[in-house]
Amino acid sequence: MRQIDLMEINPITPVGLVTGADVIVVNSSGGKDSQAMLDYVAQLTAEAGVSDRVTVVHNDLGATDTGIPIEWPGTADLVHRQAAHYGFPVVVTRRGKGGLFQQLRNERRKWPSASARWCTSDQKTSQGRKAVTRLVSELDITGRPAQVLYCLGLRAQESPGRARKSVLEIDKAGTSGRRVMRRWLPIHDWTDAQVWDRIRASGVPYHPAYDQGMTRLSCSLCVLAGRDDLIRAARLRPDLAAEYAALETELNHRFRADLSMADIITAATAKEVP
């Protein structure tokens, strides 16, 4: 992706961005950052009179071969409840060839990592672009490319990599002769405190996993999560952790170079993390 030439949009303000878009997609994992972003975008679009252009997209990661959800239970239902609060429709995407577990077991044969984030590119980004294709086709715009604003709840405070991301850029892979797709990070500079203040002020329910000590949501046992979150998740979701451990053995590939799933389960059993 190239960084956007800011002169391409006039004016370059949040309100200018939403009023200049034909389609506004809010990508939601059901987590705190997605939820705070959704509330913020809902406010902007309501003030601009373009709420009818918003669609919430949730990229479902599927289940294990025995039917255990990869995401925290109730996540998709929560996304629907949060969107319904603002009157926004929801599109749930799923990878046609299989979810995260099936792709790992049958295709990739290696766990994703910070340098090989195929879980994000294949299970989320690609599926989100397909949803955009459908939304644009429903508009039947002719004579010009449709303008798509794709909103993501990534924040600089989460990691050095996310801190380096551009707040606004053209998604070249998602742009075609029929559409121009811009990726926007509306809450990139927000702190954890600002996120939670926004959520509490909204009155919209958040996922109960946070009350159980989790600091992030979506994929329950994410390879990019911190050690404490992984241990806590393995304790809260022992069946999923056990399936991951069995798959780790089958693949003969560690869940993470510095931390195996077997180690995580051992720590969870010993209650290393409160």
Side-chain angles (χ1 to χ4, degrees):
M1 299 177 189
R2 68 176 178 84
Q3 187 167 343
I4 190 171
D5 178 355
L6 296 185
M7 295 304 291
E8 293 177 18
I9 303 176
N10 186 31
I12 305 303
T13 64
V15 171
L17 287 172
V18 298
T19 56
D22 300 300
V23 175
I24 302 168
V25 171
V26 177
N27 189 278
S28 176
S29 67
K32 66 182 191 304
D33 298 330
S34 296
Q35 183 175 351
M37 171 185 64
L38 176 61
D39 188 73
Y40 176 55
V41 172
Q43 177 189 343
L44 285 176
T45 54
E47 291 174 351
V50 294
S51 297
D52 59 334
R53 302 178 192 178
V54 178
T55 297
V56 176
V57 172
H58 175 66
N59 307 122
D60 191 300
L61 299 176
T64 67
D65 289 343
T66 62
I68 299 174
I70 299 299
E71 298 176 86
W72 287 93
T75 295
D77 288 342
L78 181 62
V79 170
H80 279 87
R81 289 174 64 193
Q82 291 171 347
H85 177 82
Y86 306 102
F88 297 149
V90 177
V91 172
V92 176
T93 73
R94 297 179 180 87
R95 181 173 176 268
K97 292 183 179 179
L100 179 62
F101 191 88
Q102 290 73 35
Q103 187 178 15
L104 172 60
R105 187 176 198 180
N106 303 325
E107 301 171 45
R108 294 288 183 168
R109 304 293 294 176
K110 286 186 178 181
W111 298 91
S113 65
S115 60
R117 294 187 60 177
W118 53 263
C119 49
T120 298
S121 61
D122 297 355
Q123 296 287 332
K124 295 183 177 182
T125 305
S126 295
Q127 308 315 311
R129 288 179 183 139
K130 291 176 183 177
V132 167
T133 297
R134 293 193 294 272
L135 292 169
V136 168
S137 66
E138 290 170 2
L139 292 179
D140 195 29
I141 291 175
T142 58
R144 64 172 178 85
Q147 302 297 309
V148 179
L149 187 64
Y150 199 91
C151 308
L152 294 160
L154 306 183
R155 292 187 301 116
Q157 194 180 62
E158 293 179 286
S159 70
R162 291 190 171 184
R164 291 190 294 268
K165 287 187 175 294
S166 298
V167 173
L168 183 67
E169 62 186 358
I170 294 287
D171 183 339
K172 289 188 68 175
T175 295
S176 67
R178 294 198 61 190
R179 70 190 190 214
V180 176
M181 183 170 165
R182 294 179 174 88
R183 290 165 62 93
W184 183 37
L185 312 183
I187 64 169
H188 189 250
D189 62 348
W190 288 24
T191 64
D192 281 348
Q194 287 175 298
V195 166
W196 282 113
D197 285 348
R198 187 88 192 194
I199 290 171
R200 294 186 181 103
S202 74
V204 180
Y206 59 84
H207 200 285
Y210 290 114
D211 290 334
Q212 295 175 305
M214 296 301 300
T215 66
R216 60 186 296 162
L217 206 69
S218 190
C219 185
S220 297
L221 292 166
C222 175
V223 295
L224 301 179
R227 184 177 185 275
D228 287 357
D229 261 356
L230 287 168
I231 293 171
R232 192 172 288 111
R235 187 183 307 142
L236 293 169
R237 304 203 63 199
D239 292 348
L240 179 62
E243 286 218 39
Y244 272 36
L247 184 56
E248 183 179 56
T249 300
E250 177 186 327
L251 299 177
N252 192 28
H253 185 248
R254 286 169 66 91
F255 175 76
R256 224 165 64 182
D258 65 332
L259 194 62
S260 72
M261 184 54 60
D263 292 337
I264 293 169
I265 292 172
T266 297
T269 304
K271 297 187 177 179
E272 289 187 13
V273 174

